[in-house]
Amino acid sequence: MSSRQRLFRWLYRLGFTPWDGHPLAHSLTGLVEGGGLRPGAALDLGCGTGDNAAYLAGHGWRVTGVDYVAKPLKKARAKAAGLPVLFIKADVTQLSTSGIGAGYDLIID
Ligand SMILES: C[S@@+](CC[C@H](N)C(=O)[O-])C[C@H]1O[C@@H](n2cnc3c(N)ncnc32)[C@H](O)[C@@H]1O
């Protein structure tokens, strides 16, 4: 495990996750709701607790969310229950061996 992964694991364990609970980025909502993109398959890299993934799934996208910390993925799965999202625990720098496949129409980070 890398030191960075260890750090994120500790931050989630401590509950120090200042990136959580913000409004979604306008760059994402504008893209999704602006009418220029048809929903397809989306990949959310470093998905955390899944706000972006759940948002995309709620707008018709089939989403795969990837994060290498288990704790936020548990929250993400609860948040996106009933929506077409698959959450996978993997390192996004090793995607070719993570089994997530290819053919994504939208990749967010
Ligand atoms: C700053 S948080 C952002 C979380 C989420 N995207 C959001 O906007 O709320 C970064 C997330 O990326 C994950 N992450 C960082 N590097 C990663 C890597 N190499 N592979 C998988 N996840 C990673 C961390 O565990 C953390 O959940």
Side-chain angles (χ1 to χ4, degrees):
M1 180 187 297
S2 69
S3 55
R4 198 172 161 79
Q5 182 176 4
R6 217 184 305 275
L7 174 65
F8 272 113
R9 218 168 57 151
W10 267 105
L11 292 173
Y12 278 112
R13 198 170 288 177
L14 292 170
F16 184 73
T17 55
W19 52 86
D20 267 339
H22 293 287
L24 300 178
H26 290 303
S27 52
L28 179 63
T29 56
L31 191 64
V32 168
E33 296 172 43
L37 278 183
R38 270 213 320 249
L43 178 61
D44 183 359
L45 299 173
C47 62
T49 61
D51 284 344
N52 292 322
Y55 166 75
L56 283 167
H59 283 79
W61 292 79
R62 299 179 312 280
V63 187
T64 301
V66 183
D67 205 288
Y68 59 8
V69 180
K71 189 168 180 181
L73 290 176
K74 195 173 167 191
K75 271 194 188 173
R77 289 190 184 102
K79 218 178 259 179
L83 292 170
V85 191
L86 176 65
F87 289 106
I88 296 177
K89 183 174 179 294
D91 187 330
V92 303
T93 66
Q94 311 287 328
L95 288 180
S96 58
T97 56
S98 68
I100 65 148
Y104 291 95
D105 303 296
L106 175 68
I107 298 176
I108 63 168
D109 168 6

